[in-house]
């Protein structure tokens, strides 16, 4: 069976449209009859990834492939990159500017949430070139 | 407990209410959106003082039934518009978060 393939452009520094790609994916999964527990995991992980691109990377691209048994989400940006991924993964560690904290972000829980709510997450990042995050959520129990 | 019984208990102002009879089965208080989206259960009531458009995104994605903005904080114009557009349930109360939760 072929996958359902979706692509989204995520605009940088635009909090009005932030979350719209995640919302589209959530709606699609619901329409496909995916168990709401899995839909919620995908929505949380993808929203966090989307917000990261909005805050840190000047936007990017989200490529989503939905298979009968899993979803694969690839978030690609050409932002500043992550110098120390291990540090960035720590609960509570954040480099978000104050203006972004005022909006309710910057708790340092974005990447930890993405890891927590996915079955696998891989980060490839080169400083000065950008970051690619690949996340998989399996629908099978 | 339903949304309309919460509105009554708090004497809250309505920003938008689509389904007053929706059943609330849990609650969450918080302003850091990453915590809210991951910890607020589906069908819950969320107490916050956040008032920007990201509140609507979090409410939608986490299936939060009702958002209560506390301390008399008004949603900004973009949030109010978005809540109506998306058919989300949102109210405002002059009470603080603690007092609001106590009343429920």
């Amino acid at each position: 069976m072929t996958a359902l393939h979706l692509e989204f452009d995520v605009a940088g520094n635009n909090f009005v449209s932030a979350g719209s790609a995640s919302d589209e994916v959530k709606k699609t999964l619901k329409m496909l009859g995916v168990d709401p527990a899995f839909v919620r995991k995908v929505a949380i992980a993808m929203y966090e990834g989307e917000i990261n691109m909005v805050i840190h990377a000047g936007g990017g691209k989200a490529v989503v492939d939905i298979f009968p048994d899993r979803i694969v989400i690839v978030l690609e940006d050409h932002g500043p990159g992550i110098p120390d991924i291990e540090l960035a993964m720590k609960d509570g560690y954040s480099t978000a500017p104050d203006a972004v904290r005022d909006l309710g972000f910057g708790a340092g829980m974005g990447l930890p949430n993405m890891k927590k709510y996915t079955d696998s997450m891989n980060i490839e990042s080169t400083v000065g070139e950008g970051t690619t995050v690949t996340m998989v959520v399996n629908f099978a129990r | 407990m339903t949304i309309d019984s919460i509105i009554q208990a708090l004497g809250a102002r309505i920003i938008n209410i689509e389904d007053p009879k929706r059943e609330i089965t849990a609650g969450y208080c918080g302003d850091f959106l990453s915590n809210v989206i991951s910890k607020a259960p589906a069908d819950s009531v969320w107490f916050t003082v956040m008032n920007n458009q990201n509140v609507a995104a979090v409410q939608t994605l986490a299936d939060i039934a009702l958002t209560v903005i506390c301390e008399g904080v008004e949603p900004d114009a973009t949030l109010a518009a978005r809540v109506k557009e998306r058919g989300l349930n949102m109210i405002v109360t002059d009470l603080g978060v603690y007092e609001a939760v106590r009343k429920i």
Side-chain angles (χ1 to χ4, degrees), chain A residues 51-94:
Chain A
I51 288 295
N52 277 348
M53 290 199 291
V54 173
I55 294 174
H56 298 286
K61 197 171 161 186
V63 179
V64 178
D65 285 291
I66 303 168
F67 300 91
D69 62 340
R70 71 189 188 283
I71 183 168
V72 180
I73 302 163
V74 180
L75 304 170
E76 193 185 339
D77 70 60
H78 299 287
I82 306 171
D84 185 340
I85 293 175
E86 205 183 320
L87 181 61
M89 287 302 303
K90 280 197 176 151
D91 285 8
Y93 179 80
S94 174

Side-chain angles (χ1 to χ4, degrees), chain B residues 61-81:
Chain B
L61 290 167
D63 287 321
I64 292 166
L66 171 69
T67 299
V68 182
I69 306 186
C70 300
E71 297 182 18
V73 176
E74 290 294 327
D76 70 18
T78 320
L79 175 59

Side-chain angles (χ1 to χ4, degrees), chain A residues 37-60:
Chain A
F38 297 123
V39 177
R40 184 179 163 89
K41 286 170 69 174
V42 171
I44 294 170
M46 189 166 166
Y47 180 66
E48 294 286 13
E50 211 182 323
I51 288 295
N52 277 348
M53 290 199 291
V54 173
I55 294 174
H56 298 286

Side-chain angles (χ1 to χ4, degrees), chain B:
Chain B
M1 171 167 263
T2 55
I3 286 178
D4 56 2
S5 66
I6 293 177
I7 297 171
Q8 214 165 22
L10 299 179
R13 293 194 296 288
I14 292 170
I15 304 302
N16 193 59
I17 293 293
E18 295 281 323
D19 32 5
K21 297 291 173 203
R22 183 166 170 184
E23 197 66 34
I24 303 284
T25 53
Y28 188 81
C29 304
D31 302 316
F32 262 132
L33 301 179
S34 286
N35 292 351
V36 178
I37 198 172
S38 108
K39 291 180 180 158
D43 300 314
S44 58
V45 51
W46 169 29
F47 297 87
T48 186
V49 293
M50 276 292 156
N51 68 338
N52 63 69
Q53 67 270 15
N54 303 298
V55 168
V58 168
Q59 184 175 354
T60 306
L61 290 167
D63 287 321
I64 292 166
L66 171 69
T67 299
V68 182
I69 306 186
C70 300
E71 297 182 18
V73 176
E74 290 294 327
D76 70 18
T78 320
L79 175 59
R82 184 147 288 202
V83 158
K84 285 170 191 156
E85 231 174 73
R86 294 188 175 201
L88 299 172
N89 301 302
M90 178 175 286
I91 56 177
V92 171
T93 177
D94 291 330
L95 299 170
V97 173
Y98 174 73
E99 286 81 12
V101 171
R102 258 186 56 164
K103 288 213 175 215
I104 296 170

Side-chain angles (χ1 to χ4, degrees), chain A residues 103-125:
Chain A
L103 294 174
F105 299 113
M109 291 308 294
L111 287 171
N113 271 352
M114 288 157 71
K115 189 169 175 59
K116 182 176 170 191
Y117 288 100
T118 53
D119 293 298
S120 84
M121 179 172 92
N122 180 55
I123 304 175
E124 280 174 36
S125 191

